[in-house]
Amino acid sequence: MSDSKSRPVLCTECSQPMESPICCAGCGALNPLPPSLFTYFELFGLEPTYEIDLGELRRKYLTLSRSIHPDVAGRTSDSQRAQSLALSSGLNRAYETLRNPVDRAEYLLHLANGPSAADDKSVPGELLGEVMMLREQIEEATEASDQDLLASTRAEVLKQQKETLEEIASICRSGDLKEPATQQRLRQQLNAVKYWNNLLEKIPLQVES
Ligand SMILES: [Zn+2]
């Protein structure tokens, strides 16, 4: 809900503004609204930006997890426990997404109504050629039991992966994600990182010699 970002959510029990819309820090009441009505950022009371403090995110996650837990005193009815579990699973999904830089960038693109991986499978210009070359190098090194070639290929893929992650961060920090051109640049880098991850999985740690 992009239009609800700045709208203060009031506790249905004590009417105080809620920092996280899922549980009131003041009186402990759970919000009867489903967590899917809020963005992952809103669930934690965070601004929707790429730059987030992971320590702060973790602290908020742990505090909220405790306060919405079904074993908290007073939550005895089946409906309260069901609500508590629904909030927990929503909160866990949000936390797993926001703590991972690639998933967080993907989510920001989604919030900006940008293209999904299924909508746009394009990659940066040179990528497919490089991936093909490195894939051949991995096969060659594995067949020849060439540990040195394998190590240097792994180093090259790690370098490419790192550069792609830096590019993703840089686009999210500086670009306007509402701009279609920026959205496409980000989409291509998010597609690219999957190629590097896949290649890394294909490199054996050790070859038989
Ligand atoms: Zn309250």
Side-chain angles (χ1 to χ4, degrees), residues 1-2 5 13 51 70 91 109 123-124 129 138 185:
M1 299 288 114
S2 53
K5 273 184 191 73
E13 296 296 319
E51 217 58 65
L91 189 71
L109 187 59
V123 289
I138 294 168
R185 275 171 61 222

Side-chain angles (χ1 to χ4, degrees), residues 42-59:
E42 287 172 322
L43 293 185
F44 292 100
L46 291 170
E47 288 298 314
T49 58
Y50 178 80
E51 217 58 65
I52 58 174
D53 180 338
L54 289 176
E56 185 192 7
L57 176 69
R58 178 156 181 82
R59 280 191 298 279

Side-chain angles (χ1 to χ4, degrees), residues 1-12 18-23 30-46 83 87 90-91 93-94 98 107 110-111:
M1 299 288 114
S2 53
D3 59 344
S4 62
K5 273 184 191 73
S6 54
R7 190 182 66 207
V9 178
L10 300 181
C11 173
T12 50
M18 298 166 89
E19 189 202 355
S20 164
I22 63 176
C23 181
L30 299 179
N31 194 331
L33 294 172
S36 56
L37 284 179
F38 303 96
T39 70
Y40 292 167
F41 291 98
E42 287 172 322
L43 293 185
F44 292 100
L46 291 170
Q83 190 191 351
L87 289 173
L91 189 71
R93 200 178 313 119
L98 294 189
Y107 187 65
H110 162 76
L111 287 182

